[in-house]
Amino acid sequence: MTSVLYALIFLFFAPALGGLLAGVDRKITARMQGRMGPPVLQPFYDVLKLFEKEHAVVHASQNFYVLSYLIFIAFSGALFFAGGDLLLVIFALTLAHVFLVLGAYAAASPYAFIGAERELIQIMAYEPMVILIAVGMYMVVHSFYVSALATTAVPLILYLPGVFIGFAYILTMKLRKSPFDISTSHHAHQEIVKGVTTEFSGSTLGMVEIAHWYENILLVGMGYLFFAFNPLLGVVAMIVLYFLEIFIDNTFARVKWAWALKSIWLVTAVFGLINLGLLYWRA
């Protein structure tokens, strides 16, 4: 019953927290750039405006794909906070992004097509590292269930420092921040054509934004597991990590897709695989 309660709390409150996080992100970004920036609640205003706009799509199938994207993102987050299987969470999250890619392909637009291809490249880049996160936590705790990982007294960060570095590295891409925002970007000055979301508008684009808020809270939760042995430390660590991601976003220019793919695979191999290899050898 507690698991269902946690899942419902996530479904109802994650968009609010995700929207606030996006608002704080934009405010800090503006201050780093010497601007006042929009109000913290501006992301909510933007999404409400999107739902008020005329609903127009190139192909009706885009509605299905984007709705599926939102549903599977929400499902993966609810399963995570309900203490479910981490592997199933990862697979559902990947499937959600596949639906987003299909929605971009359905538009038959050259810009959306390029964005869809780059979104697939991103999935190829970060997915091995995401799998290594689950494997590494299993090797330490001997369970894939989030409920066990979140309540363990074992300091996962001490056993999996390389895996955490890999997670922090791919987090930049998962949050769609520079230098790895190769398929779409939240910076208007950097992405005039919005890549994978070019042909989405109105309520369809609003659902994409809400899904992004859901996913951000899920990613913060995944990072928290490394510090779950000390809840206060975990919260502080996630605040510091997110601020670091904002700093990187405002410091580095976008890289080419080939370099992004190679660099993330290199980090996965060097930090992730070596960390797991040493962990297996010590066992």
Side-chain angles (χ1 to χ4, degrees):
M1 197 64 187
T2 305
S3 299
V4 175
L5 179 61
Y6 286 149
L8 291 175
I9 289 174
F10 172 81
L11 291 174
F12 284 105
F13 292 101
L17 291 175
L20 286 173
L21 193 62
V24 172
D25 186 332
R26 293 169 68 172
K27 197 72 173 179
I28 295 175
T29 294
R31 292 304 176 91
M32 285 183 175
Q33 296 173 358
R35 301 182 287 110
M36 284 297 295
V40 174
L41 297 180
Q42 188 62 45
F44 298 105
Y45 303 149
D46 293 341
V47 169
L48 287 174
K49 288 179 183 178
L50 287 173
F51 278 95
E52 292 175 355
K53 290 182 178 293
E54 180 182 358
H55 183 68
V57 292
V58 179
H59 292 290
S61 60
Q62 289 178 263
N63 296 327
F64 170 76
Y65 291 132
V66 172
L67 180 61
S68 300
Y69 170 62
L70 174 59
I71 289 173
F72 275 95
I73 288 281
F75 169 76
S76 59
L79 183 63
F80 178 89
F81 283 93
D85 192 321
L86 185 57
L87 280 179
L88 183 55
V89 171
I90 293 170
F91 294 151
L93 193 60
T94 303
L95 181 59
H97 285 278
V98 171
F99 277 114
L100 180 63
V101 170
L102 291 174
Y105 275 130
S109 162
Y111 296 111
F113 188 86
I114 293 173
E117 287 187 330
R118 291 183 174 182
E119 185 74 14
L120 287 175
I121 291 170
Q122 287 191 171
I123 295 173
M124 292 170 56
Y126 63 67
E127 202 61 31
M129 189 66 243
V130 175
I131 297 296
L132 290 185
I133 293 171
V135 172
M137 291 182 176
Y138 177 84
M139 292 176 67
V140 177
V141 183
H142 305 293
S143 176
F144 281 118
Y145 281 89
V146 177
S147 56
L149 299 172
T151 56
T152 182
V154 179
L156 289 175
I157 186 63
L158 298 183
Y159 286 88
L160 302 170
V163 173
F164 179 74
I165 291 173
F167 168 76
Y169 198 77
I170 67 169
L171 187 62
T172 308
M173 180 175 283
K174 293 288 286 179
L175 294 175
R176 303 188 183 282
K177 294 186 177 296
S178 293
F180 298 137
D181 51 344
I182 62 175
S183 70
T184 188
S185 173
H186 60 285
H187 289 307
H189 69 276
Q190 188 174 7
E191 187 68 84
I192 298 176
V193 178
K194 286 283 290 177
V196 71
T197 57
T198 297
E199 299 298 334
F200 299 149
S201 63
S203 60
T204 305
L205 185 57
M207 287 191 289
V208 172
E209 290 297 317
I210 293 172
H212 188 51
W213 295 347
Y214 269 123
E215 186 176 13
N216 286 354
I217 299 302
L218 171 57
L219 293 172
V220 170
M222 290 181 66
Y224 172 84
L225 292 179
F226 287 93
F227 304 89
F229 67 96
N230 188 321
L232 179 59
L233 177 62
V235 172
V236 173
M238 288 305 97
I239 293 174
V240 172
L241 179 60
Y242 201 89
F243 179 81
L244 179 62
E245 295 293 343
I246 297 174
F247 176 77
I248 293 172
D249 184 36
N250 288 277
T251 306
F252 293 91
R254 175 186 298 173
V255 299
K256 294 182 178 180
W257 68 265
W259 194 91
L261 182 64
K262 292 176 182 177
S263 69
I264 288 183
W265 277 0
L266 180 63
V267 168
T268 299
V270 172
F271 291 98
L273 289 178
I274 290 179
N275 190 167
L276 296 189
L278 292 174
L279 197 62
Y280 179 79
W281 178 73
R282 288 182 59 185

mmCIF file of all heavy atoms in Angstrom, residues 152-193:
data_model
loop_
_atom_site.group_PDB
_atom_site.id
_atom_site.type_symbol
_atom_site.label_atom_id
_atom_site.label_comp_id
_atom_site.label_asym_id
_atom_site.label_seq_id
_atom_site.Cartn_x
_atom_site.Cartn_y
_atom_site.Cartn_z
ATOM 1 N N THR A 152 19.241 0.837 1.932
ATOM 2 C CA THR A 152 20.476 0.179 2.325
ATOM 3 C C THR A 152 21.351 1.110 3.166
ATOM 4 O O THR A 152 21.349 2.328 2.973
ATOM 5 C CB THR A 152 21.263 -0.288 1.086
ATOM 6 O OG1 THR A 152 22.449 -0.980 1.504
ATOM 7 C CG2 THR A 152 21.653 0.887 0.207
ATOM 8 N N ALA A 153 22.081 0.510 4.082
ATOM 9 C CA ALA A 153 23.022 1.276 4.896
ATOM 10 C C ALA A 153 24.397 1.320 4.245
ATOM 11 O O ALA A 153 25.314 1.972 4.752
ATOM 12 C CB ALA A 153 23.129 0.658 6.292
ATOM 13 N N VAL A 154 24.541 0.637 3.114
ATOM 14 C CA VAL A 154 25.819 0.592 2.404
ATOM 15 C C VAL A 154 26.011 1.892 1.623
ATOM 16 O O VAL A 154 25.126 2.279 0.839
ATOM 17 C CB VAL A 154 25.862 -0.609 1.439
ATOM 18 C CG1 VAL A 154 27.190 -0.622 0.679
ATOM 19 C CG2 VAL A 154 25.664 -1.904 2.196
ATOM 20 N N PRO A 155 27.118 2.581 1.802
ATOM 21 C CA PRO A 155 27.364 3.819 1.037
ATOM 22 C C PRO A 155 27.741 3.489 -0.407
ATOM 23 O O PRO A 155 28.906 3.251 -0.718
ATOM 24 C CB PRO A 155 28.522 4.472 1.798
ATOM 25 C CG PRO A 155 29.228 3.337 2.474
ATOM 26 C CD PRO A 155 28.193 2.309 2.773
ATOM 27 N N LEU A 156 26.771 3.496 -1.287
ATOM 28 C CA LEU A 156 27.015 3.110 -2.676
ATOM 29 C C LEU A 156 28.050 3.998 -3.354
ATOM 30 O O LEU A 156 28.792 3.537 -4.225
ATOM 31 C CB LEU A 156 25.696 3.161 -3.459
ATOM 32 C CG LEU A 156 24.659 2.077 -3.137
ATOM 33 C CD1 LEU A 156 23.370 2.330 -3.900
ATOM 34 C CD2 LEU A 156 25.193 0.694 -3.456
ATOM 35 N N ILE A 157 28.107 5.265 -2.959
ATOM 36 C CA ILE A 157 29.046 6.182 -3.589
ATOM 37 C C ILE A 157 30.491 5.753 -3.352
ATOM 38 O O ILE A 157 31.369 6.001 -4.197
ATOM 39 C CB ILE A 157 28.813 7.629 -3.077
ATOM 40 C CG1 ILE A 157 29.693 8.624 -3.828
ATOM 41 C CG2 ILE A 157 29.055 7.711 -1.581
ATOM 42 C CD1 ILE A 157 29.411 8.717 -5.301
ATOM 43 N N LEU A 158 30.751 5.088 -2.231
ATOM 44 C CA LEU A 158 32.114 4.634 -1.941
ATOM 45 C C LEU A 158 32.478 3.392 -2.746
ATOM 46 O O LEU A 158 33.653 3.176 -3.061
ATOM 47 C CB LEU A 158 32.267 4.343 -0.445
ATOM 48 C CG LEU A 158 32.071 5.536 0.498
ATOM 49 C CD1 LEU A 158 32.310 5.126 1.943
ATOM 50 C CD2 LEU A 158 33.000 6.690 0.117
ATOM 51 N N TYR A 159 31.492 2.578 -3.067
ATOM 52 C CA TYR A 159 31.722 1.380 -3.864
ATOM 53 C C TYR A 159 31.656 1.669 -5.366
ATOM 54 O O TYR A 159 32.263 0.950 -6.156
ATOM 55 C CB TYR A 159 30.680 0.308 -3.524
ATOM 56 C CG TYR A 159 30.896 -0.353 -2.193
ATOM 57 C CD1 TYR A 159 30.354 0.186 -1.030
ATOM 58 C CD2 TYR A 159 31.646 -1.527 -2.079
ATOM 59 C CE1 TYR A 159 30.534 -0.421 0.202
ATOM 60 C CE2 TYR A 159 31.844 -2.136 -0.855
ATOM 61 C CZ TYR A 159 31.282 -1.579 0.288
ATOM 62 O OH TYR A 159 31.482 -2.181 1.510
ATOM 63 N N LEU A 160 30.918 2.698 -5.746
ATOM 64 C CA LEU A 160 30.676 2.978 -7.168
ATOM 65 C C LEU A 160 31.036 4.416 -7.542
ATOM 66 O O LEU A 160 30.231 5.117 -8.171
ATOM 67 C CB LEU A 160 29.202 2.718 -7.505
ATOM 68 C CG LEU A 160 28.670 1.312 -7.223
ATOM 69 C CD1 LEU A 160 27.158 1.282 -7.364
ATOM 70 C CD2 LEU A 160 29.324 0.288 -8.153
ATOM 71 N N PRO A 161 32.232 4.881 -7.186
ATOM 72 C CA PRO A 161 32.581 6.268 -7.548
ATOM 73 C C PRO A 161 32.696 6.476 -9.054
ATOM 74 O O PRO A 161 32.288 7.507 -9.578
ATOM 75 C CB PRO A 161 33.921 6.485 -6.849
ATOM 76 C CG PRO A 161 34.497 5.107 -6.694
ATOM 77 C CD PRO A 161 33.331 4.211 -6.463
ATOM 78 N N GLY A 162 33.264 5.480 -9.745
ATOM 79 C CA GLY A 162 33.384 5.587 -11.196
ATOM 80 C C GLY A 162 32.036 5.572 -11.888
ATOM 81 O O GLY A 162 31.807 6.311 -12.853
ATOM 82 N N VAL A 163 31.122 4.744 -11.384
ATOM 83 C CA VAL A 163 29.782 4.678 -11.946
ATOM 84 C C VAL A 163 29.059 6.006 -11.722
ATOM 85 O O VAL A 163 28.328 6.481 -12.601
ATOM 86 C CB VAL A 163 28.991 3.509 -11.323
ATOM 87 C CG1 VAL A 163 27.532 3.539 -11.774
ATOM 88 C CG2 VAL A 163 29.620 2.179 -11.702
ATOM 89 N N PHE A 164 29.262 6.612 -10.567
ATOM 90 C CA PHE A 164 28.626 7.909 -10.293
ATOM 91 C C PHE A 164 29.177 8.983 -11.220
ATOM 92 O O PHE A 164 28.415 9.835 -11.698
ATOM 93 C CB PHE A 164 28.846 8.313 -8.837
ATOM 94 C CG PHE A 164 28.231 9.645 -8.490
ATOM 95 C CD1 PHE A 164 26.859 9.763 -8.338
ATOM 96 C CD2 PHE A 164 29.017 10.779 -8.340
ATOM 97 C CE1 PHE A 164 26.271 10.992 -8.041
ATOM 98 C CE2 PHE A 164 28.454 11.998 -8.040
ATOM 99 C CZ PHE A 164 27.072 12.102 -7.888
ATOM 100 N N ILE A 165 30.471 8.963 -11.494
ATOM 101 C CA ILE A 165 31.054 9.926 -12.432
ATOM 102 C C ILE A 165 30.423 9.745 -13.814
ATOM 103 O O ILE A 165 30.090 10.719 -14.497
ATOM 104 C CB ILE A 165 32.583 9.763 -12.503
ATOM 105 C CG1 ILE A 165 33.222 10.201 -11.180
ATOM 106 C CG2 ILE A 165 33.167 10.556 -13.667
ATOM 107 C CD1 ILE A 165 34.713 9.928 -11.088
ATOM 108 N N GLY A 166 30.248 8.471 -14.208
ATOM 109 C CA GLY A 166 29.591 8.199 -15.481
ATOM 110 C C GLY A 166 28.164 8.697 -15.498
ATOM 111 O O GLY A 166 27.696 9.265 -16.495
ATOM 112 N N PHE A 167 27.448 8.523 -14.381
ATOM 113 C CA PHE A 167 26.075 9.018 -14.279
ATOM 114 C C PHE A 167 26.041 10.538 -14.399
ATOM 115 O O PHE A 167 25.199 11.096 -15.119
ATOM 116 C CB PHE A 167 25.461 8.589 -12.948
ATOM 117 C CG PHE A 167 24.160 9.271 -12.620
ATOM 118 C CD1 PHE A 167 22.986 8.898 -13.251
ATOM 119 C CD2 PHE A 167 24.108 10.304 -11.690
ATOM 120 C CE1 PHE A 167 21.778 9.537 -12.964
ATOM 121 C CE2 PHE A 167 22.922 10.939 -11.396
ATOM 122 C CZ PHE A 167 21.750 10.547 -12.042
ATOM 123 N N ALA A 168 26.946 11.222 -13.708
ATOM 124 C CA ALA A 168 26.987 12.686 -13.764
ATOM 125 C C ALA A 168 27.294 13.161 -15.180
ATOM 126 O O ALA A 168 26.768 14.189 -15.631
ATOM 127 C CB ALA A 168 28.039 13.218 -12.786
ATOM 128 N N TYR A 169 28.108 12.390 -15.897
ATOM 129 C CA TYR A 169 28.487 12.775 -17.260
ATOM 130 C C TYR A 169 27.304 12.653 -18.220
ATOM 131 O O TYR A 169 27.036 13.561 -19.010
ATOM 132 C CB TYR A 169 29.644 11.896 -17.729
ATOM 133 C CG TYR A 169 30.404 12.458 -18.902
ATOM 134 C CD1 TYR A 169 31.321 13.492 -18.725
ATOM 135 C CD2 TYR A 169 30.228 11.963 -20.189
ATOM 136 C CE1 TYR A 169 32.032 14.017 -19.794
ATOM 137 C CE2 TYR A 169 30.933 12.482 -21.264
ATOM 138 C CZ TYR A 169 31.835 13.499 -21.061
ATOM 139 O OH TYR A 169 32.536 14.029 -22.119
ATOM 140 N N ILE A 170 26.577 11.538 -18.139
ATOM 141 C CA ILE A 170 25.433 11.359 -19.040
ATOM 142 C C ILE A 170 24.242 12.208 -18.607
ATOM 143 O O ILE A 170 23.347 12.474 -19.410
ATOM 144 C CB ILE A 170 25.006 9.886 -19.140
ATOM 145 C CG1 ILE A 170 24.430 9.388 -17.800
ATOM 146 C CG2 ILE A 170 26.149 9.016 -19.624
ATOM 147 C CD1 ILE A 170 23.748 8.043 -17.898
ATOM 148 N N LEU A 171 24.242 12.653 -17.353
ATOM 149 C CA LEU A 171 23.138 13.477 -16.868
ATOM 150 C C LEU A 171 23.037 14.771 -17.668
ATOM 151 O O LEU A 171 21.938 15.286 -17.890
ATOM 152 C CB LEU A 171 23.327 13.782 -15.380
ATOM 153 C CG LEU A 171 22.167 14.501 -14.678
ATOM 154 C CD1 LEU A 171 20.910 13.643 -14.713
ATOM 155 C CD2 LEU A 171 22.543 14.828 -13.232
ATOM 156 N N THR A 172 24.185 15.280 -18.122
ATOM 157 C CA THR A 172 24.180 16.489 -18.944
ATOM 158 C C THR A 172 23.381 16.275 -20.222
ATOM 159 O O THR A 172 22.630 17.145 -20.663
ATOM 160 C CB THR A 172 25.626 16.890 -19.296
ATOM 161 O OG1 THR A 172 26.399 16.957 -18.102
ATOM 162 C CG2 THR A 172 25.668 18.244 -19.985
ATOM 163 N N MET A 173 23.521 15.099 -20.808
ATOM 164 C CA MET A 173 22.764 14.776 -22.023
ATOM 165 C C MET A 173 21.301 14.504 -21.696
ATOM 166 O O MET A 173 20.401 14.942 -22.419
ATOM 167 C CB MET A 173 23.380 13.569 -22.726
ATOM 168 C CG MET A 173 22.656 13.146 -24.000
ATOM 169 S SD MET A 173 23.490 11.814 -24.890
ATOM 170 C CE MET A 173 24.834 12.727 -25.671
ATOM 171 N N LYS A 174 21.041 13.789 -20.601
ATOM 172 C CA LYS A 174 19.669 13.468 -20.230
ATOM 173 C C LYS A 174 18.865 14.729 -19.899
ATOM 174 O O LYS A 174 17.661 14.790 -20.156
ATOM 175 C CB LYS A 174 19.646 12.519 -19.033
ATOM 176 C CG LYS A 174 20.207 11.125 -19.313
ATOM 177 C CD LYS A 174 19.257 10.323 -20.184
ATOM 178 C CE LYS A 174 18.060 9.855 -19.418
ATOM 179 N NZ LYS A 174 17.118 9.083 -20.266
ATOM 180 N N LEU A 175 19.533 15.733 -19.329
ATOM 181 C CA LEU A 175 18.867 16.997 -19.001
ATOM 182 C C LEU A 175 18.821 17.955 -20.188
ATOM 183 O O LEU A 175 18.306 19.062 -20.055
ATOM 184 C CB LEU A 175 19.584 17.674 -17.828
ATOM 185 C CG LEU A 175 19.525 16.944 -16.477
ATOM 186 C CD1 LEU A 175 20.388 17.675 -15.446
ATOM 187 C CD2 LEU A 175 18.097 16.817 -15.980
ATOM 188 N N ARG A 176 19.386 17.511 -21.313
ATOM 189 C CA ARG A 176 19.418 18.300 -22.550
ATOM 190 C C ARG A 176 20.144 19.629 -22.346
ATOM 191 O O ARG A 176 19.635 20.711 -22.666
ATOM 192 C CB ARG A 176 18.013 18.534 -23.091
ATOM 193 C CG ARG A 176 17.252 17.230 -23.337
ATOM 194 C CD ARG A 176 15.949 17.447 -24.036
ATOM 195 N NE ARG A 176 15.214 16.200 -24.201
ATOM 196 C CZ ARG A 176 15.463 15.265 -25.115
ATOM 197 N NH1 ARG A 176 16.474 15.433 -25.945
ATOM 198 N NH2 ARG A 176 14.734 14.176 -25.190
ATOM 199 N N LYS A 177 21.335 19.528 -21.791
ATOM 200 C CA LYS A 177 22.141 20.714 -21.536
ATOM 201 C C LYS A 177 23.426 20.667 -22.346
ATOM 202 O O LYS A 177 23.897 19.598 -22.717
ATOM 203 C CB LYS A 177 22.456 20.821 -20.040
ATOM 204 C CG LYS A 177 21.222 21.067 -19.182
ATOM 205 C CD LYS A 177 21.591 21.317 -17.736
ATOM 206 C CE LYS A 177 20.354 21.624 -16.908
ATOM 207 N NZ LYS A 177 19.686 22.868 -17.337
ATOM 208 N N SER A 178 23.975 21.838 -22.632
ATOM 209 C CA SER A 178 25.256 21.919 -23.316
ATOM 210 C C SER A 178 26.328 21.266 -22.449
ATOM 211 O O SER A 178 26.265 21.357 -21.212
ATOM 212 C CB SER A 178 25.627 23.384 -23.577
ATOM 213 O OG SER A 178 24.750 23.960 -24.511
ATOM 214 N N PRO A 179 27.301 20.593 -23.063
ATOM 215 C CA PRO A 179 27.583 20.559 -24.503
ATOM 216 C C PRO A 179 26.904 19.403 -25.250
ATOM 217 O O PRO A 179 27.223 19.167 -26.412
ATOM 218 C CB PRO A 179 29.100 20.370 -24.520
ATOM 219 C CG PRO A 179 29.381 19.523 -23.310
ATOM 220 C CD PRO A 179 28.387 19.975 -22.263
ATOM 221 N N PHE A 180 25.986 18.690 -24.597
ATOM 222 C CA PHE A 180 25.417 17.482 -25.198
ATOM 223 C C PHE A 180 23.946 17.619 -25.582
ATOM 224 O O PHE A 180 23.235 16.629 -25.711
ATOM 225 C CB PHE A 180 25.579 16.300 -24.241
ATOM 226 C CG PHE A 180 27.005 15.961 -23.934
ATOM 227 C CD1 PHE A 180 27.394 15.653 -22.641
ATOM 228 C CD2 PHE A 180 27.962 15.967 -24.925
ATOM 229 C CE1 PHE A 180 28.713 15.345 -22.355
ATOM 230 C CE2 PHE A 180 29.288 15.659 -24.649
ATOM 231 C CZ PHE A 180 29.664 15.352 -23.356
ATOM 232 N N ASP A 181 23.454 18.843 -25.772
ATOM 233 C CA ASP A 181 22.064 19.026 -26.202
ATOM 234 C C ASP A 181 21.999 18.969 -27.728
ATOM 235 O O ASP A 181 21.678 19.937 -28.403
ATOM 236 C CB ASP A 181 21.497 20.340 -25.673
ATOM 237 C CG ASP A 181 22.403 21.531 -25.973
ATOM 238 O OD1 ASP A 181 23.588 21.309 -26.304
ATOM 239 O OD2 ASP A 181 21.939 22.672 -25.883
ATOM 240 N N ILE A 182 22.309 17.804 -28.285
ATOM 241 C CA ILE A 182 22.478 17.684 -29.726
ATOM 242 C C ILE A 182 21.167 17.424 -30.472
ATOM 243 O O ILE A 182 21.097 17.616 -31.681
ATOM 244 C CB ILE A 182 23.493 16.563 -30.070
ATOM 245 C CG1 ILE A 182 22.999 15.206 -29.572
ATOM 246 C CG2 ILE A 182 24.854 16.891 -29.507
ATOM 247 C CD1 ILE A 182 23.887 14.052 -29.982
ATOM 248 N N SER A 183 20.120 16.968 -29.783
ATOM 249 C CA SER A 183 18.872 16.679 -30.489
ATOM 250 C C SER A 183 17.826 17.765 -30.285
ATOM 251 O O SER A 183 16.956 17.964 -31.129
ATOM 252 C CB SER A 183 18.295 15.336 -30.039
ATOM 253 O OG SER A 183 17.807 15.399 -28.718
ATOM 254 N N THR A 184 17.906 18.486 -29.204
ATOM 255 C CA THR A 184 17.039 19.637 -28.949
ATOM 256 C C THR A 184 17.627 20.413 -27.782
ATOM 257 O O THR A 184 18.480 19.898 -27.067
ATOM 258 C CB THR A 184 15.592 19.211 -28.633
ATOM 259 O OG1 THR A 184 14.755 20.366 -28.578
ATOM 260 C CG2 THR A 184 15.498 18.479 -27.309
ATOM 261 N N SER A 185 17.199 21.638 -27.604
ATOM 262 C CA SER A 185 17.783 22.482 -26.558
ATOM 263 C C SER A 185 16.716 23.393 -25.968
ATOM 264 O O SER A 185 15.742 23.729 -26.628
ATOM 265 C CB SER A 185 18.925 23.326 -27.125
ATOM 266 O OG SER A 185 19.389 24.257 -26.177
ATOM 267 N N HIS A 186 16.913 23.761 -24.705
ATOM 268 C CA HIS A 186 16.005 24.713 -24.077
ATOM 269 C C HIS A 186 16.505 26.142 -24.241
ATOM 270 O O HIS A 186 15.878 27.076 -23.768
ATOM 271 C CB HIS A 186 15.842 24.392 -22.590
ATOM 272 C CG HIS A 186 17.128 24.435 -21.821
ATOM 273 N ND1 HIS A 186 18.075 23.438 -21.908
ATOM 274 C CD2 HIS A 186 17.637 25.337 -20.955
ATOM 275 C CE1 HIS A 186 19.107 23.735 -21.126
ATOM 276 N NE2 HIS A 186 18.869 24.890 -20.535
ATOM 277 N N HIS A 187 17.650 26.318 -24.915
ATOM 278 C CA HIS A 187 18.187 27.656 -25.155
ATOM 279 C C HIS A 187 17.704 28.160 -26.509
ATOM 280 O O HIS A 187 18.075 27.616 -27.550
ATOM 281 C CB HIS A 187 19.717 27.643 -25.144
ATOM 282 C CG HIS A 187 20.301 27.433 -23.787
ATOM 283 N ND1 HIS A 187 19.959 28.217 -22.703
ATOM 284 C CD2 HIS A 187 21.197 26.527 -23.323
ATOM 285 C CE1 HIS A 187 20.632 27.804 -21.631
ATOM 286 N NE2 HIS A 187 21.379 26.776 -21.984
ATOM 287 N N ALA A 188 16.912 29.200 -26.508
ATOM 288 C CA ALA A 188 16.375 29.729 -27.766
ATOM 289 C C ALA A 188 17.484 30.279 -28.659
ATOM 290 O O ALA A 188 17.437 30.150 -29.879
ATOM 291 C CB ALA A 188 15.347 30.810 -27.474
ATOM 292 N N HIS A 189 18.506 30.881 -28.061
ATOM 293 C CA HIS A 189 19.569 31.470 -28.866
ATOM 294 C C HIS A 189 20.449 30.412 -29.509
ATOM 295 O O HIS A 189 21.153 30.681 -30.478
ATOM 296 C CB HIS A 189 20.438 32.387 -27.991
ATOM 297 C CG HIS A 189 21.260 31.658 -26.980
ATOM 298 N ND1 HIS A 189 20.768 31.278 -25.752
ATOM 299 C CD2 HIS A 189 22.538 31.207 -27.011
ATOM 300 C CE1 HIS A 189 21.701 30.652 -25.070
ATOM 301 N NE2 HIS A 189 22.778 30.589 -25.810
ATOM 302 N N GLN A 190 20.410 29.210 -28.967
ATOM 303 C CA GLN A 190 21.290 28.147 -29.461
ATOM 304 C C GLN A 190 20.568 27.224 -30.424
ATOM 305 O O GLN A 190 21.179 26.604 -31.269
ATOM 306 C CB GLN A 190 21.824 27.337 -28.273
ATOM 307 C CG GLN A 190 22.903 26.330 -28.651
ATOM 308 C CD GLN A 190 23.489 25.676 -27.440
ATOM 309 O OE1 GLN A 190 23.026 25.859 -26.340
ATOM 310 N NE2 GLN A 190 24.512 24.876 -27.631
ATOM 311 N N GLU A 191 19.258 27.128 -30.312
ATOM 312 C CA GLU A 191 18.493 26.182 -31.119
ATOM 313 C C GLU A 191 17.277 26.890 -31.697
ATOM 314 O O GLU A 191 16.190 26.856 -31.136
ATOM 315 C CB GLU A 191 18.067 24.993 -30.239
ATOM 316 C CG GLU A 191 17.406 23.854 -31.002
ATOM 317 C CD GLU A 191 18.380 23.138 -31.910
ATOM 318 O OE1 GLU A 191 19.090 22.244 -31.454
ATOM 319 O OE2 GLU A 191 18.405 23.487 -33.099
ATOM 320 N N ILE A 192 17.464 27.578 -32.825
ATOM 321 C CA ILE A 192 16.344 28.259 -33.466
ATOM 322 C C ILE A 192 15.339 27.228 -33.965
ATOM 323 O O ILE A 192 14.134 27.377 -33.829
ATOM 324 C CB ILE A 192 16.850 29.149 -34.619
ATOM 325 C CG1 ILE A 192 17.773 30.238 -34.079
ATOM 326 C CG2 ILE A 192 15.674 29.783 -35.356
ATOM 327 C CD1 ILE A 192 18.396 31.101 -35.138
ATOM 328 N N VAL A 193 15.848 26.176 -34.580
ATOM 329 C CA VAL A 193 15.009 25.051 -34.979
ATOM 330 C C VAL A 193 15.149 23.990 -33.896
ATOM 331 O O VAL A 193 16.250 23.553 -33.590
ATOM 332 C CB VAL A 193 15.440 24.494 -36.353
ATOM 333 C CG1 VAL A 193 14.587 23.306 -36.730
ATOM 334 C CG2 VAL A 193 15.342 25.583 -37.404
#
